[in-house]
């Protein structure tokens, strides 16, 4: 196993108590510093995958490894300290009467000193531009503000791996841009980021690696350009092609692109390709 492997799932399966098989025979390796988008229709197993990676759920079969150590009931707290999850519904994550106490909750459970908890909360508040919100009740904040608090919750715990479950849901364009800025900052710090999303355009421009799930099975794992080029797979998994892919395909059919079969990952790359014609 590579030295930079953070998380590893070997033949992992999970079935809910009513018998529904949510994941089947998943083999997945996540290395430090990777930016991974997790795609799939509703019910494909994305959220279940994240709950297993964070230790909220235990696999029905197979094994999960964190930094080379097999995770079990005795050491699951190690996994939870190293892997933080930001839930899709921010309200489900908030339990405290004020933003300050909400962000303090996680670090306090890590049994840190009062001084260290205060320092982490201050850093997280500054990081998410929440100055002036510290004493406000989180449940009375706007959707975008709640999302920022939920991210600050996890930042204050300083995990190595961040799991974002549908982070752009209910966010306006300004908050989406701010979220992408936070993701860029975290990536710049060497954090490992996995994001579950239906936004294929976001996945195309942000991720260096894409996972596609269908009916609990990992169907594809590779660079965005390689995965999205598999049109049959995307259709079967109910994924649309990114806008840039469709534009490039149209330009190629009109013989406006010199290099055939090349797929742009960003607007800048497409502009460069047009400049080459």
């Amino acid at each position: 196993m590579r030295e930079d492997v953070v998380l590893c799932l070997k033949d992992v399966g999970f079935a809910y108590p009513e018998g529904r098989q949510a994941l089947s025979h998943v083999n997945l390796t996540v290395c430090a510093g990777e930016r991974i988008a997790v795609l799939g229709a509703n019910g494909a197993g994305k959220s279940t995958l994240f709950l297993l990676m964070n230790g909220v759920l235990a696999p029905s079969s197979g094994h999960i490894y964190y930094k080379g150590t097999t995770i079990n009931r005795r050491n699951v707290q190690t996994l939870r300290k190293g892997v933080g999850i930001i839930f899709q519904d921010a309200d489900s994550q908030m339990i405290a009467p004020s933003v300050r106490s909400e962000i303090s909750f996680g670090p306090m459970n890590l049994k840190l000193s009062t001084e260290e908890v205060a320092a982490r909360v201050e850093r997280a508040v500054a990081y998410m531009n929440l100055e002036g919100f510290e004493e406000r009740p989180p449940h009375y904040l706007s959707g975008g503000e709640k999302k920022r608090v939920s991210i600050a919750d996890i930042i204050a715990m300083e995990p190595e791996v961040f799991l974002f479950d549908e982070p752009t849901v209910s966010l306006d364009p300004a908050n989406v841009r701010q979220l992408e800025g936070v993701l860029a900052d975290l990536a710049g710090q060497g954090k490992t980021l996995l994001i579950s999303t239906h936004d294929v355009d976001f996945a195309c421009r942000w991720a260096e690696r894409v996972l596609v799930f269908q009916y609990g099975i990992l169907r594809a794992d590779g660079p965005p350009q390689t995965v999205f080029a598999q049109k049959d797979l995307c259709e079967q998994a109910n994924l649309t092609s990114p806008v840039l892919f469709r534009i490039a395909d149209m330009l190629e059919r009109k013989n406006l692109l010199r290099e055939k079969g090349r797929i742009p990952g960003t607007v800048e790359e497409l502009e460069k390709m047009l400049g080459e014609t």
Side-chain angles (χ1 to χ4, degrees), residues 203-276:
C204 182
R205 68 175 178 269
W206 175 81
E208 60 185 1
R209 182 179 169 194
V210 168
L211 311 177
V212 177
F213 280 84
Q214 183 185 18
Y215 305 128
I217 298 170
L218 178 57
R219 292 286 313 280
D221 178 357
Q225 286 79 3
T226 302
V227 171
F228 289 124
Q230 301 176 54
K231 295 182 179 179
D232 289 344
L233 168 68
C234 291
E235 184 176 343
Q236 292 167 13
N238 292 318
L239 300 177
T240 58
S241 294
V243 170
L244 285 177
F245 281 43
R246 299 200 297 272
I247 292 174
D249 184 59
M250 178 268 293
L251 292 173
E252 183 175 317
R253 284 187 280 105
K254 293 180 178 293
N255 294 316
L256 293 174
L257 293 181
R258 176 181 300 173
E259 190 173 344
K260 302 297 183 181
R262 180 176 166 190
I263 301 174
T266 63
V267 172
E268 291 76 19
E269 188 175 347
L270 177 60
E271 185 176 10
K272 183 178 178 182
M273 291 167 63
L274 285 169
E276 294 171 352

Side-chain angles (χ1 to χ4, degrees), residues 54-67:
N54 177 249
V56 174
L57 298 177
S60 304
S61 60
H63 300 282
I64 296 177
Y65 301 85
Y66 177 66
K67 292 187 172 183

Side-chain angles (χ1 to χ4, degrees), residues 1-21:
M1 188 178 295
R2 287 172 47 175
E3 292 183 359
D4 62 345
V5 170
V6 183
L7 276 170
C8 182
L9 282 68
K10 288 191 176 181
D11 203 30
V12 166
F14 182 82
Y16 284 97
E18 72 275 14
R20 179 173 66 89
Q21 190 72 31

